[in-house]
Amino acid sequence: QVQLVESGGGLVQPGGSLRLSCAASGIIFSTYTMGWYRQAPGKRRELVARIGGAGSTNYADSVKGRFTISRDNRKNTVYLEMNNLKPEDTAVYYCYADSVTRGYWGKGTLVTVSD
């Protein structure tokens, strides 16, 4: 049974930082591309960042220079370090595991950026 469990969300002031984690089980983690997506109220789910099994990364333009995705294949965990957060970063953040032929979603963690 595949499980992706996100953690680390919460309320933060503009300019603040958060670190999200996603612990995976039930998959051969190192063979999966891992991604973080987000969905703000009333908007479509969008890609935030993605990291391949060997560590190659890509980011949405809106988060470049502020967010960093990383992974620890020994711990089956992917991280999203978020700095200089803005109110428009408010969303539910979802972890995604992609093996090309199949994909799995976590249940999400809420990030709220507000005074």
Side-chain angles (χ1 to χ4, degrees):
Q1 182 182 359
V2 177
Q3 281 193 312
L4 302 175
V5 180
E6 301 97 336
S7 61
L11 174 64
V12 62
Q13 292 183 332
S17 299
L18 281 175
R19 188 194 197 203
L20 305 183
S21 300
C22 171
S25 60
I27 59 173
I28 303 174
F29 184 77
S30 62
T31 66
Y32 280 70
T33 291
M34 299 300 297
W36 286 98
Y37 288 72
R38 66 186 180 187
Q39 188 166 17
K43 294 189 177 181
R44 297 177 64 179
R45 193 173 296 189
E46 63 176 1
L47 174 69
V48 175
R50 188 162 49 200
I51 184 167
S56 60
T57 59
N58 62 289
Y59 296 89
D61 287 344
S62 59
V63 307
K64 282 181 181 176
R66 300 189 298 123
F67 290 11
T68 302
I69 189 170
S70 62
R71 66 190 295 160
D72 186 336
N73 288 341
R74 297 168 301 174
K75 295 183 178 180
N76 287 2
T77 301
V78 61
Y79 305 96
L80 185 69
E81 185 75 34
M82 305 186 294
N83 297 314
N84 190 21
L85 282 159
K86 304 175 181 181
E88 52 263 41
D89 295 318
T90 294
V92 177
Y93 284 71
Y94 297 91
C95 179
Y96 183 67
D98 181 8
S99 73
V100 179
T101 58
R102 62 187 66 185
Y104 304 95
W105 290 98
K107 293 184 178 180
T109 185
L110 177 62
V111 172
T112 303
V113 185
S114 175
D115 290 317

